[in-house]
Amino acid sequence: MRSYSTHRSGTGFTGDAIASVATFLTGFAGIGASKTTAWDTALTRAHSVVAGSATASPASSNINPSELLGSDLALLASNIRRLLGSDHPVLKSIASYYFMGSGGKHIRPMLVLLVAKASSIAPTPRRTSPPLSIERINEPISSNSEVLFALAVNAPPLSASKQGGEILPTQRRLAEITEMIHTASLLHDDVIDMSLVRRKMPSVNAEYGNKMAILAGDFLLARASIALARLRNVEVVELLSTVISNLVEGEFMQLRNSANKKGTPEPKTEAQESLETRLPDSLAPLSRQAPNMREFTDEITNQRFEYYLTKTYMKTASLIANSCKAAAVLGGCNELVADALYRYGRALGLAFQVVDDMLDFTVTAEEMGKPVNADLKLGLATAPVLYAAEQFPELDVIIERNFKQDGDATTALQLIHASNGIERTRSLAAAFCEEAVEALSILPESDAKKVLIQLTEAVVTRKN
């Protein structure tokens, strides 16, 4: 049986600093638990981590990311639309569907911009030449390229300060590319999952049909790839190309829907080996003996959790991790800083999806802006289910048959809410967030760094 080594205790973060971030990220709010639990203790312990990471006085600790980033973030959606010009009005309209108006919370590009600011005052020994201008990154590399980008509207440059340093044109473009890749994945996911609602509005496939949605997603990826190539940095191209590959691999893992259930475990892929996500002992699946369920061994339980976390990395955390690292690379940061920011993004991305999986069982469809209990309907066993199965072994059979029999989903829901699976899932997310905060210790103090820390708490306490 695989044993999970002790990595760190399951703790999260709380404090007044979350207030402005909660306002910015609609629906993010504190956890309204009325009873004292291990989770409350974890939050209390974690407060010192957040407080200890900042040197500012309490009065100046509340930082609104939208104000800190200003037009760099506010102009994101309009600048992305400038990258989606097409001679086919319908294609342009569909591809821009999620970029009209506010276009969502923009968590991923916001992280890229914050990392750019926070890392810009770190040592940058790899910056051997002047940064590329916006005109240069719009310029085709090949004379045969027929794709022309409209000139983006950029914020005026900022000098290095307590807020963090200047965001480079290449880093702004990276933020746009990151959001385009993410949105393309949403278009494809909604077709695969047959989801008809996204962001409290009809999904693209519901509005235009599956074929149009798939083609629009492909178009977004193509335009993102062109913009990526024009950054003229092969390492960044490799990082973001890996993300696209991981998104597809993760979707295949979800379609496959289960780890090797019996017999010899399948060899790990390179992506699985590189994940390096070790669960704290207190959060790893508990050992148990179920006399009437002996075919479900502890090894299978561990395989399920490893499979779940690997799929979560592929589908969610890879984009956040690699785009954070790419922002540091474009800024010329040294390898230690770039790798630390990758670890921050990986841990935050894992926490984000783990919380998303928890919210599937704890909030309404109106609060989520999309259908709830969707994972059970798709036959997917996420962290709350896997943890609940530790207390209620009868869930093993239901998981193995992918919740396909009549009454399976109802029974699973009852057992999940009767277990401590939701609380343990929340603690797992908090443990990942602590890992994210620790990764930021390499950066000098700045307002941008403080917001990156605040966002770890916003992720854990969000409601949609």
Side-chain angles (χ1 to χ4, degrees):
M1 182 182 103
R2 169 183 173 141
S3 62
Y4 290 100
S5 60
T6 300
H7 190 37
R8 51 187 57 85
S9 60
T11 57
F13 313 100
T14 191
D16 294 338
I18 190 60
S20 61
V21 181
T23 300
F24 175 71
L25 303 179
T26 305
F28 285 22
I31 299 172
S34 59
K35 60 182 180 178
T36 301
T37 63
W39 172 243
D40 300 319
T41 303
L43 288 174
T44 301
R45 289 172 54 196
H47 178 76
S48 61
V49 178
V50 177
S53 67
T55 58
S57 63
S60 62
S61 62
N62 296 338
I63 304 171
N64 189 316
S66 63
E67 293 178 3
L68 181 66
L69 295 173
S71 56
D72 281 315
L73 185 63
L75 294 172
L76 180 87
S78 62
N79 280 341
I80 288 175
R81 292 196 296 271
R82 293 168 182 266
L83 301 178
L84 298 177
S86 171
D87 293 333
H88 304 278
V90 175
L91 175 59
K92 181 179 179 180
S93 176
I94 298 173
S96 303
Y97 186 77
Y98 289 133
F99 300 117
M100 305 307 293
S102 61
K105 293 188 280 290
H106 301 314
I107 301 297
R108 291 153 189 84
M110 180 174 66
L111 285 167
V112 169
L113 296 172
L114 287 169
V115 164
K117 288 183 75 70
S119 63
S120 64
I121 54 177
T124 55
R126 293 202 289 182
R127 187 184 293 180
T128 56
S129 58
L132 297 180
S133 66
I134 185 65
E135 291 80 13
R136 181 64 169 158
I137 63 176
N138 277 342
E139 183 180 314
I141 296 173
S142 171
S143 59
N144 294 328
S145 177
E146 297 179 355
V147 176
L148 300 177
F149 294 149
L151 190 63
V153 178
N154 282 316
L158 298 174
S159 58
S161 66
K162 183 181 174 183
Q163 294 182 347
E166 178 185 351
I167 297 175
L168 304 175
T170 51
Q171 292 169 323
R172 293 188 186 97
R173 179 55 50 85
L174 174 65
E176 296 157 10
I177 292 167
T178 298
E179 186 71 354
M180 291 167 71
I181 292 173
H182 169 61
T183 303
S185 75
L186 298 183
L187 293 171
H188 290 161
D189 282 357
D190 285 345
V191 171
I192 294 170
D193 299 341
M194 296 179 287
S195 178
L196 302 180
V197 178
R198 170 73 63 179
R199 296 174 181 170
K200 300 182 180 182
M201 58 191 289
S203 60
V204 168
N205 50 300
E207 194 78 2
Y208 295 96
N210 287 344
K211 292 181 180 179
M212 291 288 194
I214 291 170
L215 290 172
D218 292 346
F219 180 69
L220 274 171
L221 289 175
R223 284 300 172 93
S225 298
I226 293 171
L228 181 62
R230 291 179 184 176
L231 296 180
R232 292 167 168 80
N233 186 302
V234 292
E235 183 176 359
V236 171
V237 170
E238 182 178 57
L239 288 170
L240 273 293
S241 298
T242 299
V243 168
I244 297 173
S245 176
N246 285 346
L247 285 168
V248 178
E249 290 179 80
E251 196 59 55
F252 266 87
M253 290 182 73
Q254 181 160 302
L255 289 171
R256 180 184 167 201
N257 194 29
S258 62
N260 191 33
K261 298 172 185 175
K262 295 182 176 67
T264 305
E266 295 181 352
K268 287 187 177 182
T269 66
E270 183 178 346
Q272 288 171 316
E273 292 288 355
S274 66
L275 179 57
E276 298 176 353
T277 299
R278 296 170 292 172
L279 295 182
D281 284 344
S282 62
L283 299 176
L286 300 173
S287 298
R288 72 173 188 279
Q289 293 295 325
N292 58 335
M293 305 285 288
R294 290 196 182 278
E295 68 270 27
F296 299 106
T297 64
D298 291 319
E299 182 177 352
I300 297 302
T301 300
N302 290 346
Q303 285 179 34
R304 282 178 183 162
F305 227 99
E306 285 188 9
Y307 194 88
Y308 164 70
L309 287 176
T310 302
K311 182 201 72 174
T312 299
Y313 171 80
M314 295 284 196
K315 283 178 62 69
T316 303
S318 175
L319 176 58
I320 297 174
N322 284 294
S323 60
C324 284
K325 181 173 182 177
V329 170
L330 288 172
C333 293
N334 64 39
E335 190 171 344
L336 286 175
V337 172
D339 287 344
L341 289 166
Y342 169 86
R343 293 195 303 275
Y344 169 83
R346 183 188 64 187
L348 189 72
L350 290 169
F352 187 93
Q353 186 58 49
V354 165
V355 169
D356 206 61
D357 295 338
M358 179 191 72
L359 292 176
D360 200 42
F361 299 101
T362 60
V363 302
T364 66
E366 184 177 358
E367 289 174 312
M368 279 286 279
K370 59 183 179 180
V372 294
N373 304 143
D375 291 331
L376 291 182
K377 295 171 187 175
L378 293 171
L380 304 177
T382 56
V385 185
L386 297 175
Y387 279 137
E390 294 295 323
Q391 288 180 263
F392 298 102
E394 55 264 45
L395 268 173
D396 280 323
V397 172
I398 297 176
I399 292 171
E400 289 298 301
R401 64 178 178 238
N402 299 333
F403 312 96
K404 294 303 182 186
Q405 289 190 9
D406 289 343
D408 277 356
T410 300
T411 300
L413 276 172
Q414 292 172 346
L415 294 176
I416 291 164
H417 286 289
S419 74
N420 63 0
I422 290 173
E423 182 176 341
R424 293 180 72 194
T425 300
R426 192 179 282 131
S427 295
L428 175 62
F432 283 130
C433 284
E434 183 181 359
E435 181 180 342
V437 171
E438 289 175 359
L440 292 176
S441 62
I442 195 171
L443 295 179
E445 295 301 326
S446 69
D447 287 352
K449 177 182 174 180
K450 291 174 193 173
V451 176
L452 289 171
I453 293 171
Q454 289 172 203
L455 286 174
T456 64
E457 186 176 359
V459 163
V460 175
T461 59
R462 70 192 183 96
K463 293 293 182 69
N464 67 5

